[in-house]
PDB file of all heavy atoms in Angstrom:
ATOM      1  N   LEU F   8      23.640 -13.597 -18.305  1.00  0.00           N
ATOM      2  CA  LEU F   8      25.063 -13.862 -18.530  1.00  0.00           C
ATOM      3  C   LEU F   8      25.745 -13.923 -17.161  1.00  0.00           C
ATOM      4  O   LEU F   8      25.709 -12.950 -16.403  1.00  0.00           O
ATOM      5  CB  LEU F   8      25.642 -12.740 -19.398  1.00  0.00           C
ATOM      6  CG  LEU F   8      27.123 -12.755 -19.734  1.00  0.00           C
ATOM      7  CD1 LEU F   8      27.547 -14.050 -20.403  1.00  0.00           C
ATOM      8  CD2 LEU F   8      27.476 -11.560 -20.618  1.00  0.00           C
ATOM      9  N   GLY F   9      26.315 -15.085 -16.839  1.00  0.00           N
ATOM     10  CA  GLY F   9      26.844 -15.310 -15.491  1.00  0.00           C
ATOM     11  C   GLY F   9      25.793 -15.961 -14.622  1.00  0.00           C
ATOM     12  O   GLY F   9      25.729 -15.729 -13.411  1.00  0.00           O
ATOM     13  N   ALA F  10      24.958 -16.809 -15.243  1.00  0.00           N
ATOM     14  CA  ALA F  10      23.756 -17.355 -14.592  1.00  0.00           C
ATOM     15  C   ALA F  10      24.051 -18.268 -13.406  1.00  0.00           C
ATOM     16  O   ALA F  10      23.160 -18.536 -12.605  1.00  0.00           O
ATOM     17  CB  ALA F  10      22.912 -18.113 -15.616  1.00  0.00           C
ATOM     18  N   THR F  11      25.299 -18.755 -13.297  1.00  0.00           N
ATOM     19  CA  THR F  11      25.626 -19.681 -12.211  1.00  0.00           C
ATOM     20  C   THR F  11      26.280 -18.980 -11.018  1.00  0.00           C
ATOM     21  O   THR F  11      26.581 -19.616 -10.016  1.00  0.00           O
ATOM     22  CB  THR F  11      26.607 -20.764 -12.715  1.00  0.00           C
ATOM     23  OG1 THR F  11      27.708 -20.080 -13.333  1.00  0.00           O
ATOM     24  CG2 THR F  11      25.945 -21.678 -13.721  1.00  0.00           C
ATOM     25  N   GLY F  12      26.502 -17.674 -11.113  1.00  0.00           N
ATOM     26  CA  GLY F  12      27.229 -16.956 -10.063  1.00  0.00           C
ATOM     27  C   GLY F  12      26.345 -16.512  -8.911  1.00  0.00           C
ATOM     28  O   GLY F  12      25.127 -16.717  -8.918  1.00  0.00           O
ATOM     29  N   ALA F  13      26.973 -15.884  -7.909  1.00  0.00           N
ATOM     30  CA  ALA F  13      26.247 -15.410  -6.721  1.00  0.00           C
ATOM     31  C   ALA F  13      25.146 -14.433  -7.127  1.00  0.00           C
ATOM     32  O   ALA F  13      24.020 -14.495  -6.627  1.00  0.00           O
ATOM     33  CB  ALA F  13      27.227 -14.743  -5.748  1.00  0.00           C
ATOM     34  N   VAL F  14      25.459 -13.520  -8.049  1.00  0.00           N
ATOM     35  CA  VAL F  14      24.454 -12.547  -8.499  1.00  0.00           C
ATOM     36  C   VAL F  14      23.528 -13.171  -9.549  1.00  0.00           C
ATOM     37  O   VAL F  14      22.309 -13.005  -9.497  1.00  0.00           O
ATOM     38  CB  VAL F  14      25.126 -11.272  -9.056  1.00  0.00           C
ATOM     39  CG1 VAL F  14      24.097 -10.345  -9.700  1.00  0.00           C
ATOM     40  CG2 VAL F  14      25.881 -10.539  -7.940  1.00  0.00           C
ATOM     41  N   LEU F  35      23.464 -18.347 -19.483  1.00  0.00           N
ATOM     42  CA  LEU F  35      24.810 -18.358 -20.075  1.00  0.00           C
ATOM     43  C   LEU F  35      25.876 -18.246 -18.995  1.00  0.00           C
ATOM     44  O   LEU F  35      25.748 -17.447 -18.066  1.00  0.00           O
ATOM     45  CB  LEU F  35      24.950 -17.178 -21.053  1.00  0.00           C
ATOM     46  CG  LEU F  35      23.860 -17.072 -22.126  1.00  0.00           C
ATOM     47  CD1 LEU F  35      23.999 -15.751 -22.887  1.00  0.00           C
ATOM     48  CD2 LEU F  35      23.919 -18.247 -23.085  1.00  0.00           C
ATOM     49  N   ALA F  36      26.910 -19.064 -19.132  1.00  0.00           N
ATOM     50  CA  ALA F  36      28.038 -19.009 -18.188  1.00  0.00           C
ATOM     51  C   ALA F  36      29.295 -19.459 -18.926  1.00  0.00           C
ATOM     52  O   ALA F  36      29.342 -19.425 -20.163  1.00  0.00           O
ATOM     53  CB  ALA F  36      27.744 -19.877 -16.966  1.00  0.00           C
ATOM     54  N   SER F  37      30.318 -19.874 -18.168  1.00  0.00           N
ATOM     55  CA  SER F  37      31.557 -20.329 -18.803  1.00  0.00           C
ATOM     56  C   SER F  37      31.362 -21.783 -19.267  1.00  0.00           C
ATOM     57  O   SER F  37      30.417 -22.448 -18.842  1.00  0.00           O
ATOM     58  CB  SER F  37      32.707 -20.235 -17.808  1.00  0.00           C
ATOM     59  OG  SER F  37      32.703 -21.383 -16.977  1.00  0.00           O
ATOM     60  N   PRO F  38      32.283 -22.288 -20.095  1.00  0.00           N
ATOM     61  CA  PRO F  38      32.165 -23.692 -20.546  1.00  0.00           C
ATOM     62  C   PRO F  38      32.123 -24.688 -19.379  1.00  0.00           C
ATOM     63  O   PRO F  38      31.583 -25.780 -19.524  1.00  0.00           O
ATOM     64  CB  PRO F  38      33.420 -23.889 -21.409  1.00  0.00           C
ATOM     65  CG  PRO F  38      33.781 -22.516 -21.876  1.00  0.00           C
ATOM     66  CD  PRO F  38      33.395 -21.595 -20.767  1.00  0.00           C
ATOM     67  N   ARG F  39      32.684 -24.285 -18.216  1.00  0.00           N
ATOM     68  CA  ARG F  39      32.669 -25.169 -17.046  1.00  0.00           C
ATOM     69  C   ARG F  39      31.264 -25.560 -16.612  1.00  0.00           C
ATOM     70  O   ARG F  39      31.060 -26.591 -15.989  1.00  0.00           O
ATOM     71  CB  ARG F  39      33.338 -24.472 -15.837  1.00  0.00           C
ATOM     72  CG  ARG F  39      34.809 -24.200 -15.969  1.00  0.00           C
ATOM     73  CD  ARG F  39      35.332 -23.506 -14.697  1.00  0.00           C
ATOM     74  NE  ARG F  39      34.857 -22.128 -14.566  1.00  0.00           N
ATOM     75  CZ  ARG F  39      35.449 -21.068 -15.126  1.00  0.00           C
ATOM     76  NH1 ARG F  39      36.534 -21.228 -15.841  1.00  0.00           N
ATOM     77  NH2 ARG F  39      34.964 -19.846 -14.961  1.00  0.00           N
ATOM     78  N   SER F  40      30.284 -24.702 -16.881  1.00  0.00           N
ATOM     79  CA  SER F  40      28.935 -24.912 -16.342  1.00  0.00           C
ATOM     80  C   SER F  40      27.946 -25.484 -17.351  1.00  0.00           C
ATOM     81  O   SER F  40      26.768 -25.640 -17.031  1.00  0.00           O
ATOM     82  CB  SER F  40      28.375 -23.586 -15.826  1.00  0.00           C
ATOM     83  OG  SER F  40      29.185 -23.101 -14.795  1.00  0.00           O
ATOM     84  N   VAL F  41      28.418 -25.800 -18.539  1.00  0.00           N
ATOM     85  CA  VAL F  41      27.501 -26.280 -19.587  1.00  0.00           C
ATOM     86  C   VAL F  41      26.747 -27.528 -19.104  1.00  0.00           C
ATOM     87  O   VAL F  41      27.346 -28.447 -18.553  1.00  0.00           O
ATOM     88  CB  VAL F  41      28.273 -26.584 -20.895  1.00  0.00           C
ATOM     89  CG1 VAL F  41      27.370 -27.279 -21.907  1.00  0.00           C
ATOM     90  CG2 VAL F  41      28.818 -25.290 -21.477  1.00  0.00           C
ATOM     91  N   LYS F  43      24.482 -27.642 -16.694  1.00  0.00           N
ATOM     92  CA  LYS F  43      23.832 -27.447 -15.380  1.00  0.00           C
ATOM     93  C   LYS F  43      22.394 -27.009 -15.613  1.00  0.00           C
ATOM     94  O   LYS F  43      22.098 -26.324 -16.594  1.00  0.00           O
ATOM     95  CB  LYS F  43      24.556 -26.360 -14.586  1.00  0.00           C
ATOM     96  CG  LYS F  43      25.798 -26.848 -13.870  1.00  0.00           C
ATOM     97  CD  LYS F  43      26.304 -25.793 -12.878  1.00  0.00           C
ATOM     98  CE  LYS F  43      27.630 -26.214 -12.266  1.00  0.00           C
ATOM     99  NZ  LYS F  43      28.312 -25.094 -11.599  1.00  0.00           N
ATOM    100  N   ALA F  57      28.547 -19.027 -22.997  1.00  0.00           N
ATOM    101  CA  ALA F  57      28.292 -17.725 -23.631  1.00  0.00           C
ATOM    102  C   ALA F  57      29.223 -17.506 -24.800  1.00  0.00           C
ATOM    103  O   ALA F  57      30.444 -17.637 -24.665  1.00  0.00           O
ATOM    104  CB  ALA F  57      28.476 -16.625 -22.592  1.00  0.00           C
ATOM    105  N   SER F  71      26.223 -10.418 -15.274  1.00  0.00           N
ATOM    106  CA  SER F  71      27.070 -10.309 -14.079  1.00  0.00           C
ATOM    107  C   SER F  71      28.134 -11.399 -14.108  1.00  0.00           C
ATOM    108  O   SER F  71      28.219 -12.219 -13.200  1.00  0.00           O
ATOM    109  CB  SER F  71      26.199 -10.418 -12.819  1.00  0.00           C
ATOM    110  OG  SER F  71      26.938  -9.989 -11.699  1.00  0.00           O
ATOM    111  N   ALA F  72      28.939 -11.397 -15.170  1.00  0.00           N
ATOM    112  CA  ALA F  72      29.970 -12.427 -15.326  1.00  0.00           C
ATOM    113  C   ALA F  72      31.372 -11.824 -15.265  1.00  0.00           C
ATOM    114  O   ALA F  72      32.332 -12.452 -15.696  1.00  0.00           O
ATOM    115  CB  ALA F  72      29.761 -13.173 -16.642  1.00  0.00           C
ATOM    116  N   GLY F  73      31.488 -10.602 -14.748  1.00  0.00           N
ATOM    117  CA  GLY F  73      32.786  -9.941 -14.677  1.00  0.00           C
ATOM    118  C   GLY F  73      32.972  -8.943 -15.810  1.00  0.00           C
ATOM    119  O   GLY F  73      32.407  -9.108 -16.908  1.00  0.00           O
ATOM    120  N   VAL F  76      34.299 -10.110 -19.392  1.00  0.00           N
ATOM    121  CA  VAL F  76      33.289 -10.859 -20.162  1.00  0.00           C
ATOM    122  C   VAL F  76      32.267  -9.879 -20.737  1.00  0.00           C
ATOM    123  O   VAL F  76      31.878  -9.968 -21.906  1.00  0.00           O
ATOM    124  CB  VAL F  76      32.599 -11.930 -19.272  1.00  0.00           C
ATOM    125  CG1 VAL F  76      31.498 -12.639 -20.054  1.00  0.00           C
ATOM    126  CG2 VAL F  76      33.614 -12.926 -18.756  1.00  0.00           C
ATOM    127  N   LYS F  79      33.612  -7.926 -23.699  1.00  0.00           N
ATOM    128  CA  LYS F  79      33.736  -8.749 -24.898  1.00  0.00           C
ATOM    129  C   LYS F  79      32.360  -9.053 -25.508  1.00  0.00           C
ATOM    130  O   LYS F  79      32.189  -8.977 -26.723  1.00  0.00           O
ATOM    131  CB  LYS F  79      34.462 -10.057 -24.529  1.00  0.00           C
ATOM    132  CG  LYS F  79      35.106 -10.754 -25.708  1.00  0.00           C
ATOM    133  CD  LYS F  79      35.902 -11.974 -25.273  1.00  0.00           C
ATOM    134  CE  LYS F  79      34.955 -13.149 -25.036  1.00  0.00           C
ATOM    135  NZ  LYS F  79      35.575 -14.306 -24.402  1.00  0.00           N
ATOM    136  N   LEU F  80      31.382  -9.396 -24.690  1.00  0.00           N
ATOM    137  CA  LEU F  80      30.130  -9.951 -25.227  1.00  0.00           C
ATOM    138  C   LEU F  80      28.975  -8.963 -25.366  1.00  0.00           C
ATOM    139  O   LEU F  80      28.152  -9.094 -26.276  1.00  0.00           O
ATOM    140  CB  LEU F  80      29.682 -11.147 -24.370  1.00  0.00           C
ATOM    141  CG  LEU F  80      30.584 -12.381 -24.450  1.00  0.00           C
ATOM    142  CD1 LEU F  80      30.071 -13.482 -23.532  1.00  0.00           C
ATOM    143  CD2 LEU F  80      30.678 -12.907 -25.896  1.00  0.00           C
ATOM    144  N   ALA F 160      32.311 -10.230  -3.486  1.00  0.00           N
ATOM    145  CA  ALA F 160      33.435 -10.617  -4.351  1.00  0.00           C
ATOM    146  C   ALA F 160      33.134 -11.924  -5.087  1.00  0.00           C
ATOM    147  O   ALA F 160      34.038 -12.537  -5.667  1.00  0.00           O
ATOM    148  CB  ALA F 160      34.705 -10.748  -3.526  1.00  0.00           C
ATOM    149  N   GLY F 161      31.867 -12.366  -5.057  1.00  0.00           N
ATOM    150  CA  GLY F 161      31.469 -13.554  -5.816  1.00  0.00           C
ATOM    151  C   GLY F 161      31.337 -14.799  -4.965  1.00  0.00           C
ATOM    152  O   GLY F 161      31.725 -14.828  -3.789  1.00  0.00           O
ATOM    153  N   GLN F 162      30.768 -15.821  -5.601  1.00  0.00           N
ATOM    154  CA  GLN F 162      30.487 -17.086  -4.930  1.00  0.00           C
ATOM    155  C   GLN F 162      31.750 -17.697  -4.318  1.00  0.00           C
ATOM    156  O   GLN F 162      31.725 -18.222  -3.196  1.00  0.00           O
ATOM    157  CB  GLN F 162      29.859 -18.060  -5.946  1.00  0.00           C
ATOM    158  CG  GLN F 162      29.388 -19.361  -5.365  1.00  0.00           C
ATOM    159  CD  GLN F 162      28.274 -19.175  -4.356  1.00  0.00           C
ATOM    160  OE1 GLN F 162      27.233 -18.595  -4.663  1.00  0.00           O
ATOM    161  NE2 GLN F 162      28.498 -19.643  -3.127  1.00  0.00           N
ATOM    162  N   SER F 163      32.882 -17.602  -5.028  1.00  0.00           N
ATOM    163  CA  SER F 163      34.090 -18.278  -4.536  1.00  0.00           C
ATOM    164  C   SER F 163      34.656 -17.572  -3.309  1.00  0.00           C
ATOM    165  O   SER F 163      35.179 -18.232  -2.398  1.00  0.00           O
ATOM    166  CB  SER F 163      35.133 -18.361  -5.650  1.00  0.00           C
ATOM    167  OG  SER F 163      35.291 -17.091  -6.250  1.00  0.00           O
TER     168      SER F 163
HETATM  169  P1  LIG G 401      30.940 -20.332 -14.195  1.00  0.00           P
HETATM  170  O1  LIG G 401      30.128 -20.719 -12.995  1.00  0.00           O
HETATM  171  O2  LIG G 401      30.735 -21.260 -15.336  1.00  0.00           O
HETATM  172  O3  LIG G 401      32.379 -20.064 -13.889  1.00  0.00           O
HETATM  173  P2  LIG G 401      30.608 -14.986  -9.339  1.00  0.00           P
HETATM  174  O4  LIG G 401      30.395 -13.503  -9.445  1.00  0.00           O
HETATM  175  O5  LIG G 401      29.778 -15.623  -8.265  1.00  0.00           O
HETATM  176  O6  LIG G 401      32.057 -15.335  -9.244  1.00  0.00           O
HETATM  177  O7  LIG G 401      30.073 -15.607 -10.723  1.00  0.00           O
HETATM  178  C1  LIG G 401      30.642 -15.283 -11.952  1.00  0.00           C
HETATM  179  C2  LIG G 401      29.742 -15.771 -13.085  1.00  0.00           C
HETATM  180  O8  LIG G 401      30.358 -15.438 -14.317  1.00  0.00           O
HETATM  181  C3  LIG G 401      29.516 -17.273 -13.118  1.00  0.00           C
HETATM  182  O9  LIG G 401      28.223 -17.550 -13.609  1.00  0.00           O
HETATM  183  C4  LIG G 401      30.584 -17.712 -14.105  1.00  0.00           C
HETATM  184  O10 LIG G 401      30.302 -18.937 -14.738  1.00  0.00           O
HETATM  185  C5  LIG G 401      30.501 -16.607 -15.115  1.00  0.00           C
HETATM  186  N1  LIG G 401      31.696 -16.538 -15.953  1.00  0.00           N
HETATM  187  C6  LIG G 401      32.984 -16.479 -15.558  1.00  0.00           C
HETATM  188  N2  LIG G 401      33.812 -16.433 -16.634  1.00  0.00           N
HETATM  189  C7  LIG G 401      33.025 -16.479 -17.734  1.00  0.00           C
HETATM  190  C8  LIG G 401      33.264 -16.474 -19.137  1.00  0.00           C
HETATM  191  N3  LIG G 401      34.507 -16.409 -19.633  1.00  0.00           N
HETATM  192  N4  LIG G 401      32.190 -16.528 -19.972  1.00  0.00           N
HETATM  193  C9  LIG G 401      30.960 -16.583 -19.487  1.00  0.00           C
HETATM  194  N5  LIG G 401      30.664 -16.599 -18.174  1.00  0.00           N
HETATM  195  C10 LIG G 401      31.673 -16.543 -17.299  1.00  0.00           C
END
Side-chain angles (χ1 to χ4, degrees):
L8 178 56
T11 52
V14 172
L35 307 171
S37 82
R39 294 180 289 274
S40 299
V41 171
K43 278 192 186 165
S71 194
V76 177
K79 202 175 80 190
L80 292 178
Q162 186 63 57
S163 49

